Amino acid sequence: MQHGKYRFIVGFLALPVIVYAIFVISPFVQAFQISMTDWSGLVGTAKFVGFDNFERLWNDSDFWNALRHNIYMLVAVPIVTLALGLFFAFMLNVGGKRRKNEVITGVTGSKFYRFVFFFPQVISITIIAVIWWNVYNPDPQDGMLNSLLSAVGLDNLTNAWLGEKSLALLCIMAVMVWANVGFYVVLFSAAMASIPRDIYEACLLDGANRIQTFFRITLPLLWDTVQTGWVYMGIIAMDAFALVQIMSVNMGGPNGATDVMPLRLYVTAFTNSQFGYASAMGIAMLIVTMAFAILTMRFARRERIEF
């Protein structure tokens, strides 16, 4: 009986594992193989160079500049996105005024607000980038943000935005937060809906306020969901290719202020035809992303709370 169970499990998993190995594991192995060559992308031009590409990568100031920007995103974007997602989800589910028969209730129109928050998720990232490029357009007539500031008498706050070296990366990170926070509002709302209302009511009847309820009840019970969301947002922050390519000045400008690792990889491979060196960048990205995921899962681990 036991042997039959294992045969069933192996037979059930064999095909998915084979497909995963072919389409996921195999490309990573091939990327590492290509990273050991000096390949221009043309058949028959690959030349084995060992670890020369990684040594070159170590001394490449442009790569370190791009990596630094990704790290900024890795720190700031998940924190802001998850914090806003938790705040809005908490308000939608628990932040309403007490009613006659309900101690705990969400704000009025919470279903409509969930739809509004989630709406950016159904829009293509390309469309989002184009929309926000027009918002940040420095032209006082065509740029939505500068036009709005001028209309309310705040002309001194108008700026070049994406053309300003000190602001360009912050502008793109703001778009990343805007584009993703709605997903976490819905995700955290669904997780909060599974928490028994009796727990909230008991805390409020004992004199706890909303802030204490959030940090003592909601956050600990949602920690597994928050941890998973943190890893997912970290992976998004390590990418940012489409937004930077479309929104930035001269792809990564001004003067490299918005350059990120995926964009640097793209330019190296498809503009400079250095596919071996670009593959080495891809391996470096894989290492950084895996390290982030492992460290997050390791240091954010807590005892599971049952309810």
Side-chain angles (χ1 to χ4, degrees):
M1 188 71 179
Q2 197 76 0
H3 293 296
K5 181 180 74 172
Y6 288 129
R7 280 198 299 268
F8 172 77
I9 293 174
V10 172
F12 187 78
L13 293 179
L15 182 59
V17 170
I18 292 173
V19 172
Y20 184 83
I22 293 174
F23 292 103
V24 179
I25 303 299
S26 175
F28 282 119
V29 174
Q30 293 177 43
F32 181 75
Q33 179 185 1
I34 295 172
S35 71
M36 308 290 284
T37 66
D38 181 14
W39 184 41
S40 65
L42 299 176
V43 177
T45 60
K47 178 184 176 183
F48 182 78
V49 295
F51 290 95
D52 288 357
N53 285 326
F54 293 96
E55 182 179 352
R56 176 184 170 189
L57 199 64
W58 183 261
N59 299 305
D60 188 344
S61 59
D62 290 335
F63 171 77
W64 287 106
N65 176 59
L67 177 59
R68 183 172 67 253
H69 295 155
N70 272 117
I71 292 175
Y72 291 159
M73 291 180 171
L74 201 59
V75 173
V77 173
I79 291 176
V80 177
T81 304
L82 296 181
L84 289 175
L86 282 168
F87 172 75
F88 290 133
F90 185 75
M91 295 304 295
L92 291 178
N93 287 271
V94 188
K97 293 182 179 180
R98 297 184 183 183
R99 298 170 187 169
K100 292 182 179 179
N101 300 323
E102 295 180 334
V103 177
I104 294 296
T105 182
V107 297
T108 304
S110 58
K111 292 183 179 179
F112 172 74
Y113 290 132
R114 287 192 187 97
F115 169 77
V116 172
F117 281 124
F118 191 77
F119 184 71
Q121 293 295 309
V122 303
I123 304 176
S124 165
I125 191 66
T126 304
I127 297 175
I128 289 175
V130 172
I131 290 173
W132 279 94
W133 184 87
N134 283 281
V135 170
Y136 288 130
N137 189 331
D139 191 306
Q141 301 299 323
D142 298 330
M144 296 181 186
L145 183 54
N146 281 346
S147 298
L148 177 62
L149 292 173
S150 299
V152 296
L154 297 176
D155 301 79
N156 58 321
L157 295 181
T158 59
N159 212 306
W161 305 114
L162 295 173
E164 182 67 38
K165 188 174 181 180
S166 60
L167 295 176
L169 188 64
L170 291 175
C171 291
I172 292 176
M173 287 195 289
V175 176
M176 293 179 68
V177 172
W178 179 87
N180 290 284
V181 70
F183 172 79
Y184 291 99
V185 171
V186 175
L187 177 66
F188 293 144
S189 293
M192 288 179 191
S194 66
I195 300 176
R197 295 288 178 178
D198 296 344
I199 298 177
Y200 284 120
E201 293 176 0
C203 291
L204 292 176
L205 291 173
D206 286 341
N209 56 36
R210 302 285 182 179
I211 297 176
Q212 291 171 328
T213 302
F214 174 79
F215 285 103
R216 298 294 181 87
I217 301 297
T218 305
L219 188 57
L221 292 178
L222 294 185
W223 190 252
D224 287 345
T225 307
V226 173
Q227 186 183 40
T228 303
W230 191 285
V231 174
Y232 181 65
M233 273 309 303
I235 294 172
I236 292 176
M238 283 300 296
D239 186 4
F241 169 74
L243 286 176
V244 174
Q245 185 193 30
I246 296 171
M247 294 179 63
S248 64
V249 177
N250 296 325
M251 293 183 62
N255 196 25
T258 58
D259 199 7
V260 290
M261 292 171 66
L263 182 63
R264 179 58 33 197
L265 187 156
Y266 173 83
V267 171
T268 301
F270 297 103
T271 301
N272 302 333
S273 297
Q274 299 176 5
F275 285 86
Y277 188 43
S279 296
M281 291 184 182
I283 298 298
M285 281 185 59
L286 172 65
I287 293 172
V288 172
T289 305
M290 291 297 295
F292 168 78
I294 292 171
L295 291 174
T296 299
M297 300 300 290
R298 172 66 180 84
F299 290 106
R301 184 183 303 166
R302 290 187 179 184
E303 277 189 41
R304 185 178 181 84
I305 300 176
E306 301 288 345
F307 57 89

